[in-house]
C-alpha cells in the first residue's frame, strides 16, 4: 500500500467527511454555485453497518448502495437510524420489489420495464420513489444505462407512472484522469437534462461525480455527487473497479 493510501485509511471517516464537505463548498463557491445545491451521497457498498454509523454520527444521512442483498442487510441493521437510501447499482427486473419497498431513490433505472415494476411494487403508504434515468453517456458497449437518444421516450414513459417521481439523470462516464476529458461527458449529461426540462420542468437532479471526477462534475452542474473511496478509503478488491 502506498503512503498516501495508507494515510487515507488511517484518517477517520468523520475527518474525511469534514474535508469532503469543505472541498465541495470550495468548488461550488469557486464556480458561483450555492454549496447547498450539491448533495453529498456517501457510497457505502462493501462498507459495514458500523462504518455507516460513524458516517451518520458525522452528520451524513444519505447512503448509496449497489448490491441488493448487501444493502438489505444494512437497511435491517440500521433500522434505528433516519437514513435516506439510494439504490445506484444495476437492477435485475425480477429483483425490483425489495428496491421499491426499502429505498427512497433509485439512480440506475435504464429501461421502462424496470420503471413499471418499481411503480407497481411501491407500497402505497410510502411517498413516490425518486428516480434518475441512468444514461450511458460515453456510449460504452456493454455498460449500463440507456443511450442518450433513448432518454426523451423513456422519460415520457416514466413520468406518467403514478408511484414514481422522475427527478433527473445519472451517469458514470468513461474513466479519465484528465479534467478536460472528464468534463465532456459531464457537460453532455447536463445538456441532456436541460433539453428534457423543457418538457419536464420539475426535473432538478444531475447525479454525477465520483471521487475522481467530483470537481469537474460540480463545475458542470452536479446536484448529487456519489462519493465512496474519498470518504471510506479504498475498497476491498472483491468487486470490479473502473479501469
Ligand atoms: C462505486 C460507485 C461510486 C463511488 O465511486 P468512488 O470512486 O469510490 O467514489 C459512485 N457511483 C456508482 C454508481 C458506484 O458504483
Amino acid at each position: 500500500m502506498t503512503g498516501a493510501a495508507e494515510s487515507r485509511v488511517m484518517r477517520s471517516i468523520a475527518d474525511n467527511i469534514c474535508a469532503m464537505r469543505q472541498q465541495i463548498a470550495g468548488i461550488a463557491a469557486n464556480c458561483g454555485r450555492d454549496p447547498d445545491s450539491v448533495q453529498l451521497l456517501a457510497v457505502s457498498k462493501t462498507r459495514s453497518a458500523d462504518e455507516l454509523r460513524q458516517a451518520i454520527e458525522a452528520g451524513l444521512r444519505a447512503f448509496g448502495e449497489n448490491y441488493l442483498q448487501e444493502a438489505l442487510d444494512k437497511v435491517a441493521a440500521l433500522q434505528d437510524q433516519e437514513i435516506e437510501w439510494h439504490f445506484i447499482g444495476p437492477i435485475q427486473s425480477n429483483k425490483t420489489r425489495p428496491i421499491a419497498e426499502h429505498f427512497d431513490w433509485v439512480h440506475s433505472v435504464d429501461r421502462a420495464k424496470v420503471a413499471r415494476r418499481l411503480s407497481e411494487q411501491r407500497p402505497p403508504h410510502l411517498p413516490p420513489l425518486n428516480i434518475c434515468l441512468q444514461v450511458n453517456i460515453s456510449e460504452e458497449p456493454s455498460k449500463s444505462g440507456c443511450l442518450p437518444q433513448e432518454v426523451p421516450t423513456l422519460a415520457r414513459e416514466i413520468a406518467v407512472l403514478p408511484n414514481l417521481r422522475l427527478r433527473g439523470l445519472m451517469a458514470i462516464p468513461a474513466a479519465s484522469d484528465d479534467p478536460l476529458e472528464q468534463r465532456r461527458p459531464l457537460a453532455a449529461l447536463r445538456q441532456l437534462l436541460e433539453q428534457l426540462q423543457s418538457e419536464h420542468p420539475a426535473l432538478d437532479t444531475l447525479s454525477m461525480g465520483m471521487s475522481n471526477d467530483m470537481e469537474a462534475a460540480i463545475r458542470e452542474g452536479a446536484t448529487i455527487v456519489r462519493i465512496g473511496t474519498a470518504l471510506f478509503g479504498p475498497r476491498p478488491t472483491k468487486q470490479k473497479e473502473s479501469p
Side-chain angles (χ1 to χ4, degrees):
M1 190 183 282
T2 68
E6 201 161 7
S7 70
R8 180 171 271 171
V9 175
M10 301 302 290
R11 246 188 294 140
S12 74
I13 292 171
D15 288 346
N16 289 341
I17 290 170
C18 184
M20 179 58 58
R21 283 234 166 85
Q22 286 175 2
Q23 205 184 334
I24 291 172
I27 297 164
N30 218 278
C31 57
R33 295 188 56 193
D34 175 358
D36 292 337
S37 66
V38 185
Q39 188 194 356
L40 173 57
L41 176 64
V43 174
S44 46
K45 61 186 175 205
T46 78
R47 301 300 165 180
S48 67
D50 262 3
E51 288 170 293
L52 272 74
R53 283 188 194 275
Q54 293 173 42
I56 294 163
E57 268 167 38
L60 287 189
R61 55 182 294 273
F63 292 90
E65 290 282 343
N66 293 59
Y67 309 111
L68 185 55
Q69 192 50 55
E70 182 196 324
L72 294 175
D73 291 346
K74 281 179 241 182
V75 168
L78 294 165
Q79 254 171 1
D80 57 318
Q81 302 288 332
E82 282 275 327
I83 294 179
E84 188 178 274
W85 289 107
H86 294 236
F87 195 79
I88 62 175
I91 302 172
Q92 288 172 260
S93 58
N94 63 343
K95 299 267 176 68
T96 47
R97 184 177 298 278
I99 298 177
E101 290 174 347
H102 295 289
F103 285 80
D104 303 293
W105 283 73
V106 182
H107 294 229
S108 43
V109 171
D110 61 1
R111 54 204 194 278
K113 181 182 181 188
V114 162
R116 278 196 301 272
R117 290 176 64 94
L118 288 171
S119 182
E120 280 160 19
Q121 294 166 345
R122 181 69 168 170
H125 66 277
L126 293 179
L129 184 57
N130 295 292
I131 300 291
C132 290
L133 191 48
Q134 183 175 352
V135 186
N136 182 358
I137 196 71
S138 304
E139 305 198 30
E140 295 173 280
S142 80
K143 283 285 176 74
S144 304
C146 67
L147 290 172
Q149 60 268 29
E150 298 172 320
V151 166
T153 305
L154 270 173
R156 255 172 241 140
E157 287 173 311
I158 296 171
V160 296
L161 294 171
N163 301 321
L164 304 186
R165 182 172 168 209
L166 183 61
R167 298 296 295 267
L169 302 177
M170 179 273 223
I172 310 171
S176 165
D177 285 329
D178 173 0
L180 280 176
E181 281 294 314
Q182 288 177 354
R183 282 185 76 158
R184 206 187 327 233
L186 299 165
L189 194 73
R190 171 175 50 75
Q191 285 155 10
L192 262 182
L193 182 72
E194 286 166 1
Q195 288 159 20
L196 215 49
Q197 280 167 332
S198 59
E199 194 175 331
H200 308 271
L203 298 193
D204 59 4
T205 302
L206 264 181
S207 167
M208 60 186 195
M210 320 204 317
S211 296
N212 264 333
D213 63 353
M214 182 189 77
E215 173 156 9
I218 293 172
R219 291 187 182 283
E220 289 299 342
T223 64
I224 300 181
V225 290
R226 308 180 309 266
I227 309 295
T229 310
L231 297 181
F232 296 107
R235 275 183 293 278
T237 46
K238 108 175 187 204
Q239 100 280 349
K240 65 174 194 279
E241 297 278 352
S242 32

